PDB file of all heavy atoms in Angstrom:
ATOM      1  N   LEU O 122     -77.410  -9.307  25.912  1.00 96.00           N
ATOM      2  CA  LEU O 122     -77.387  -8.034  25.192  1.00 96.00           C
ATOM      3  C   LEU O 122     -78.644  -7.227  25.471  1.00 96.00           C
ATOM      4  O   LEU O 122     -78.590  -6.004  25.644  1.00 96.00           O
ATOM      5  CB  LEU O 122     -77.239  -8.276  23.681  1.00 96.00           C
ATOM      6  CG  LEU O 122     -75.888  -8.780  23.205  1.00 96.00           C
ATOM      7  CD1 LEU O 122     -75.930  -9.091  21.718  1.00 96.00           C
ATOM      8  CD2 LEU O 122     -74.804  -7.734  23.496  1.00 96.00           C
ATOM      9  N   ALA O 123     -79.796  -7.907  25.525  1.00 95.00           N
ATOM     10  CA  ALA O 123     -81.056  -7.210  25.812  1.00 95.00           C
ATOM     11  C   ALA O 123     -81.030  -6.619  27.213  1.00 95.00           C
ATOM     12  O   ALA O 123     -81.507  -5.495  27.430  1.00 95.00           O
ATOM     13  CB  ALA O 123     -82.226  -8.185  25.670  1.00 95.00           C
ATOM     14  N   MET O 124     -80.438  -7.347  28.179  1.00 95.00           N
ATOM     15  CA  MET O 124     -80.326  -6.822  29.538  1.00 95.00           C
ATOM     16  C   MET O 124     -79.396  -5.621  29.610  1.00 95.00           C
ATOM     17  O   MET O 124     -79.728  -4.594  30.207  1.00 95.00           O
ATOM     18  CB  MET O 124     -79.821  -7.933  30.475  1.00 95.00           C
ATOM     19  CG  MET O 124     -80.844  -8.957  30.860  1.00 95.00           C
ATOM     20  SD  MET O 124     -80.259  -9.999  32.231  1.00 95.00           S
ATOM     21  CE  MET O 124     -78.958 -10.929  31.427  1.00 95.00           C
ATOM     22  N   VAL O 125     -78.219  -5.771  29.014  1.00 96.00           N
ATOM     23  CA  VAL O 125     -77.227  -4.699  29.060  1.00 96.00           C
ATOM     24  C   VAL O 125     -77.765  -3.427  28.434  1.00 96.00           C
ATOM     25  O   VAL O 125     -77.704  -2.337  29.025  1.00 96.00           O
ATOM     26  CB  VAL O 125     -75.917  -5.132  28.363  1.00 96.00           C
ATOM     27  CG1 VAL O 125     -74.956  -3.966  28.241  1.00 96.00           C
ATOM     28  CG2 VAL O 125     -75.257  -6.280  29.113  1.00 96.00           C
ATOM     29  N   ILE O 126     -78.326  -3.547  27.238  1.00 95.00           N
ATOM     30  CA  ILE O 126     -78.840  -2.373  26.536  1.00 95.00           C
ATOM     31  C   ILE O 126     -80.102  -1.838  27.191  1.00 95.00           C
ATOM     32  O   ILE O 126     -80.258  -0.615  27.377  1.00 95.00           O
ATOM     33  CB  ILE O 126     -79.119  -2.727  25.054  1.00 95.00           C
ATOM     34  CG1 ILE O 126     -77.810  -3.094  24.357  1.00 95.00           C
ATOM     35  CG2 ILE O 126     -79.798  -1.567  24.332  1.00 95.00           C
ATOM     36  CD1 ILE O 126     -77.993  -3.652  22.959  1.00 95.00           C
ATOM     37  N   GLY O 127     -81.002  -2.740  27.555  1.00 95.00           N
ATOM     38  CA  GLY O 127     -82.269  -2.316  28.162  1.00 95.00           C
ATOM     39  C   GLY O 127     -82.052  -1.518  29.431  1.00 95.00           C
ATOM     40  O   GLY O 127     -82.623  -0.430  29.598  1.00 95.00           O
ATOM     41  N   MET O 128     -81.207  -2.021  30.327  1.00 96.00           N
ATOM     42  CA  MET O 128     -80.985  -1.306  31.593  1.00 96.00           C
ATOM     43  C   MET O 128     -80.108  -0.074  31.413  1.00 96.00           C
ATOM     44  O   MET O 128     -80.216   0.886  32.159  1.00 96.00           O
ATOM     45  CB  MET O 128     -80.387  -2.257  32.629  1.00 96.00           C
ATOM     46  CG  MET O 128     -81.372  -3.319  33.091  1.00 96.00           C
ATOM     47  SD  MET O 128     -80.851  -4.173  34.598  1.00 96.00           S
ATOM     48  CE  MET O 128     -79.374  -5.026  34.026  1.00 96.00           C
ATOM     49  N   PHE O 129     -79.220  -0.089  30.421  1.00 96.00           N
ATOM     50  CA  PHE O 129     -78.396   1.094  30.155  1.00 96.00           C
ATOM     51  C   PHE O 129     -79.286   2.292  29.857  1.00 96.00           C
ATOM     52  O   PHE O 129     -78.992   3.416  30.294  1.00 96.00           O
ATOM     53  CB  PHE O 129     -77.464   0.823  28.978  1.00 96.00           C
ATOM     54  CG  PHE O 129     -76.528   1.966  28.678  1.00 96.00           C
ATOM     55  CD1 PHE O 129     -75.286   2.030  29.300  1.00 96.00           C
ATOM     56  CD2 PHE O 129     -76.874   2.964  27.792  1.00 96.00           C
ATOM     57  CE1 PHE O 129     -74.421   3.086  29.044  1.00 96.00           C
ATOM     58  CE2 PHE O 129     -76.016   4.030  27.530  1.00 96.00           C
ATOM     59  CZ  PHE O 129     -74.776   4.092  28.160  1.00 96.00           C
ATOM     60  N   PHE O 130     -80.365   2.063  29.157  1.00 96.00           N
ATOM     61  CA  PHE O 130     -81.303   3.137  28.815  1.00 96.00           C
ATOM     62  C   PHE O 130     -82.522   3.174  29.744  1.00 96.00           C
ATOM     63  O   PHE O 130     -83.549   3.766  29.407  1.00 96.00           O
ATOM     64  CB  PHE O 130     -81.755   3.003  27.365  1.00 96.00           C
ATOM     65  CG  PHE O 130     -80.657   3.240  26.365  1.00 96.00           C
ATOM     66  CD1 PHE O 130     -80.031   2.181  25.731  1.00 96.00           C
ATOM     67  CD2 PHE O 130     -80.228   4.529  26.093  1.00 96.00           C
ATOM     68  CE1 PHE O 130     -79.015   2.396  24.811  1.00 96.00           C
ATOM     69  CE2 PHE O 130     -79.199   4.763  25.183  1.00 96.00           C
ATOM     70  CZ  PHE O 130     -78.584   3.690  24.538  1.00 96.00           C
ATOM     71  N   GLY O 131     -82.388   2.530  30.907  1.00 95.00           N
ATOM     72  CA  GLY O 131     -83.465   2.599  31.887  1.00 95.00           C
ATOM     73  C   GLY O 131     -84.762   1.951  31.456  1.00 95.00           C
ATOM     74  O   GLY O 131     -85.844   2.407  31.835  1.00 95.00           O
ATOM     75  N   MET O 132     -84.671   0.888  30.623  1.00 95.00           N
ATOM     76  CA  MET O 132     -85.856   0.166  30.123  1.00 95.00           C
ATOM     77  C   MET O 132     -86.733   1.084  29.261  1.00 95.00           C
ATOM     78  O   MET O 132     -87.935   0.852  29.137  1.00 95.00           O
ATOM     79  CB  MET O 132     -86.678  -0.413  31.275  1.00 95.00           C
ATOM     80  CG  MET O 132     -85.917  -1.335  32.201  1.00 95.00           C
ATOM     81  SD  MET O 132     -85.284  -2.824  31.372  1.00 95.00           S
ATOM     82  CE  MET O 132     -86.807  -3.703  31.009  1.00 95.00           C
ATOM     83  N   SER O 133     -86.137   2.095  28.639  1.00 93.00           N
ATOM     84  CA  SER O 133     -86.917   3.049  27.845  1.00 93.00           C
ATOM     85  C   SER O 133     -86.865   2.752  26.351  1.00 93.00           C
ATOM     86  O   SER O 133     -87.547   3.421  25.560  1.00 93.00           O
ATOM     87  CB  SER O 133     -86.411   4.472  28.082  1.00 93.00           C
ATOM     88  OG  SER O 133     -85.064   4.608  27.656  1.00 93.00           O
ATOM     89  N   LEU O 134     -86.076   1.737  25.931  1.00 88.00           N
ATOM     90  CA  LEU O 134     -85.941   1.438  24.511  1.00 88.00           C
ATOM     91  C   LEU O 134     -86.374   0.005  24.190  1.00 88.00           C
ATOM     92  O   LEU O 134     -85.882  -0.599  23.252  1.00 88.00           O
ATOM     93  CB  LEU O 134     -84.498   1.648  24.053  1.00 88.00           C
ATOM     94  CG  LEU O 134     -83.998   3.087  24.039  1.00 88.00           C
ATOM     95  CD1 LEU O 134     -82.561   3.141  23.523  1.00 88.00           C
ATOM     96  CD2 LEU O 134     -84.890   3.969  23.148  1.00 88.00           C
ATOM     97  N   SER O 135     -87.255  -0.566  24.971  1.00 87.00           N
ATOM     98  CA  SER O 135     -87.729  -1.921  24.717  1.00 87.00           C
ATOM     99  C   SER O 135     -88.721  -1.931  23.559  1.00 87.00           C
ATOM    100  O   SER O 135     -89.202  -0.890  23.107  1.00 87.00           O
ATOM    101  CB  SER O 135     -88.378  -2.487  25.969  1.00 87.00           C
ATOM    102  OG  SER O 135     -87.451  -2.531  27.032  1.00 87.00           O
ATOM    103  N   LEU O 136     -89.057  -3.139  23.099  1.00 89.00           N
ATOM    104  CA  LEU O 136     -89.908  -3.294  21.930  1.00 89.00           C
ATOM    105  C   LEU O 136     -91.398  -3.432  22.261  1.00 89.00           C
ATOM    106  O   LEU O 136     -92.226  -3.430  21.361  1.00 89.00           O
ATOM    107  CB  LEU O 136     -89.473  -4.534  21.121  1.00 89.00           C
ATOM    108  CG  LEU O 136     -88.029  -4.533  20.625  1.00 89.00           C
ATOM    109  CD1 LEU O 136     -87.706  -5.848  19.928  1.00 89.00           C
ATOM    110  CD2 LEU O 136     -87.786  -3.372  19.682  1.00 89.00           C
ATOM    111  N   GLY O 137     -91.730  -3.546  23.542  1.00 89.00           N
ATOM    112  CA  GLY O 137     -93.128  -3.718  23.940  1.00 89.00           C
ATOM    113  C   GLY O 137     -93.965  -2.503  23.580  1.00 89.00           C
ATOM    114  O   GLY O 137     -93.506  -1.365  23.627  1.00 89.00           O
ATOM    115  N   ALA O 138     -95.198  -2.777  23.200  1.00 91.00           N
ATOM    116  CA  ALA O 138     -96.104  -1.686  22.798  1.00 91.00           C
ATOM    117  C   ALA O 138     -97.533  -1.944  23.284  1.00 91.00           C
ATOM    118  O   ALA O 138     -98.503  -1.639  22.587  1.00 91.00           O
ATOM    119  CB  ALA O 138     -96.086  -1.523  21.298  1.00 91.00           C
ATOM    120  N   ALA O 139     -97.665  -2.516  24.496  1.00 93.00           N
ATOM    121  CA  ALA O 139     -99.000  -2.763  25.046  1.00 93.00           C
ATOM    122  C   ALA O 139     -99.674  -1.423  25.361  1.00 93.00           C
ATOM    123  O   ALA O 139     -99.018  -0.490  25.831  1.00 93.00           O
ATOM    124  CB  ALA O 139     -98.909  -3.610  26.304  1.00 93.00           C
ATOM    125  N   PRO O 140    -100.979  -1.286  25.078  1.00 93.00           N
ATOM    126  CA  PRO O 140    -101.663  -0.015  25.370  1.00 93.00           C
ATOM    127  C   PRO O 140    -101.820   0.191  26.879  1.00 93.00           C
ATOM    128  O   PRO O 140    -101.969  -0.769  27.640  1.00 93.00           O
ATOM    129  CB  PRO O 140    -103.022  -0.200  24.694  1.00 93.00           C
ATOM    130  CG  PRO O 140    -103.235  -1.686  24.669  1.00 93.00           C
ATOM    131  CD  PRO O 140    -101.885  -2.290  24.482  1.00 93.00           C
ATOM    132  N   TRP O 141    -101.747   1.427  27.307  1.00 91.00           N
ATOM    133  CA  TRP O 141    -101.954   1.749  28.711  1.00 91.00           C
ATOM    134  C   TRP O 141    -103.459   1.886  28.978  1.00 91.00           C
ATOM    135  O   TRP O 141    -104.210   2.323  28.113  1.00 91.00           O
ATOM    136  CB  TRP O 141    -101.245   3.064  29.059  1.00 91.00           C
ATOM    137  CG  TRP O 141     -99.766   2.958  28.895  1.00 91.00           C
ATOM    138  CD1 TRP O 141     -99.037   3.269  27.782  1.00 91.00           C
ATOM    139  CD2 TRP O 141     -98.825   2.486  29.861  1.00 91.00           C
ATOM    140  NE1 TRP O 141     -97.715   3.017  27.988  1.00 91.00           N
ATOM    141  CE2 TRP O 141     -97.543   2.557  29.249  1.00 91.00           C
ATOM    142  CE3 TRP O 141     -98.933   2.023  31.168  1.00 91.00           C
ATOM    143  CZ2 TRP O 141     -96.388   2.151  29.913  1.00 91.00           C
ATOM    144  CZ3 TRP O 141     -97.784   1.637  31.826  1.00 91.00           C
ATOM    145  CH2 TRP O 141     -96.526   1.698  31.203  1.00 91.00           C
ATOM    146  N   PRO O 142    -103.955   1.414  30.111  1.00 93.00           N
ATOM    147  CA  PRO O 142    -103.221   0.946  31.298  1.00 93.00           C
ATOM    148  C   PRO O 142    -102.896  -0.542  31.287  1.00 93.00           C
ATOM    149  O   PRO O 142    -102.358  -1.058  32.272  1.00 93.00           O
ATOM    150  CB  PRO O 142    -104.187   1.268  32.437  1.00 93.00           C
ATOM    151  CG  PRO O 142    -105.523   1.071  31.837  1.00 93.00           C
ATOM    152  CD  PRO O 142    -105.413   1.546  30.414  1.00 93.00           C
ATOM    153  N   TRP O 143    -103.219  -1.260  30.191  1.00 94.00           N
ATOM    154  CA  TRP O 143    -102.955  -2.695  30.150  1.00 94.00           C
ATOM    155  C   TRP O 143    -101.448  -2.990  30.198  1.00 94.00           C
ATOM    156  O   TRP O 143    -101.031  -4.094  30.544  1.00 94.00           O
ATOM    157  CB  TRP O 143    -103.562  -3.299  28.880  1.00 94.00           C
ATOM    158  CG  TRP O 143    -105.052  -3.175  28.849  1.00 94.00           C
ATOM    159  CD1 TRP O 143    -105.790  -2.347  28.055  1.00 94.00           C
ATOM    160  CD2 TRP O 143    -105.969  -3.874  29.685  1.00 94.00           C
ATOM    161  NE1 TRP O 143    -107.128  -2.488  28.327  1.00 94.00           N
ATOM    162  CE2 TRP O 143    -107.268  -3.420  29.324  1.00 94.00           C
ATOM    163  CE3 TRP O 143    -105.852  -4.831  30.696  1.00 94.00           C
ATOM    164  CZ2 TRP O 143    -108.421  -3.904  29.949  1.00 94.00           C
ATOM    165  CZ3 TRP O 143    -107.000  -5.311  31.305  1.00 94.00           C
ATOM    166  CH2 TRP O 143    -108.256  -4.840  30.937  1.00 94.00           C
ATOM    167  N   ALA O 144    -100.635  -2.002  29.836  1.00 94.00           N
ATOM    168  CA  ALA O 144     -99.186  -2.192  29.889  1.00 94.00           C
ATOM    169  C   ALA O 144     -98.715  -2.483  31.313  1.00 94.00           C
ATOM    170  O   ALA O 144     -97.705  -3.182  31.497  1.00 94.00           O
ATOM    171  CB  ALA O 144     -98.497  -0.957  29.334  1.00 94.00           C
ATOM    172  N   TYR O 145     -99.415  -1.959  32.311  1.00 95.00           N
ATOM    173  CA  TYR O 145     -99.042  -2.250  33.699  1.00 95.00           C
ATOM    174  C   TYR O 145     -99.108  -3.751  33.958  1.00 95.00           C
ATOM    175  O   TYR O 145     -98.205  -4.345  34.566  1.00 95.00           O
ATOM    176  CB  TYR O 145     -99.956  -1.524  34.675  1.00 95.00           C
ATOM    177  CG  TYR O 145     -99.743  -0.037  34.757  1.00 95.00           C
ATOM    178  CD1 TYR O 145    -100.721   0.847  34.346  1.00 95.00           C
ATOM    179  CD2 TYR O 145     -98.546   0.487  35.283  1.00 95.00           C
ATOM    180  CE1 TYR O 145    -100.521   2.229  34.417  1.00 95.00           C
ATOM    181  CE2 TYR O 145     -98.350   1.856  35.367  1.00 95.00           C
ATOM    182  CZ  TYR O 145     -99.343   2.724  34.937  1.00 95.00           C
ATOM    183  OH  TYR O 145     -99.137   4.067  35.017  1.00 95.00           O
ATOM    184  N   LEU O 146    -100.194  -4.370  33.497  1.00 96.00           N
ATOM    185  CA  LEU O 146    -100.361  -5.813  33.703  1.00 96.00           C
ATOM    186  C   LEU O 146     -99.346  -6.602  32.880  1.00 96.00           C
ATOM    187  O   LEU O 146     -98.792  -7.605  33.358  1.00 96.00           O
ATOM    188  CB  LEU O 146    -101.783  -6.224  33.330  1.00 96.00           C
ATOM    189  CG  LEU O 146    -102.902  -5.694  34.208  1.00 96.00           C
ATOM    190  CD1 LEU O 146    -104.269  -6.125  33.674  1.00 96.00           C
ATOM    191  CD2 LEU O 146    -102.718  -6.184  35.649  1.00 96.00           C
ATOM    192  N   ALA O 147     -99.117  -6.153  31.656  1.00 96.00           N
ATOM    193  CA  ALA O 147     -98.160  -6.851  30.785  1.00 96.00           C
ATOM    194  C   ALA O 147     -96.759  -6.795  31.379  1.00 96.00           C
ATOM    195  O   ALA O 147     -96.045  -7.819  31.432  1.00 96.00           O
ATOM    196  CB  ALA O 147     -98.170  -6.230  29.390  1.00 96.00           C
TER     197      ALA O 147
END
């Protein structure tokens, strides 16, 4: 379900909230 929904919205609705630029590494 996470894959189907995540990719449907182009990975724009995930729960991650790492600060940038550290989000690149995460």
Side-chain angles (χ1 to χ4, degrees):
L122 289 175
M124 284 192 291
V125 172
I126 296 172
M128 291 195 295
F129 183 89
F130 293 102
M132 303 298 291
S133 63
L134 291 182
S135 300
L136 302 176
W141 297 92
W143 297 108
Y145 288 114
L146 293 177

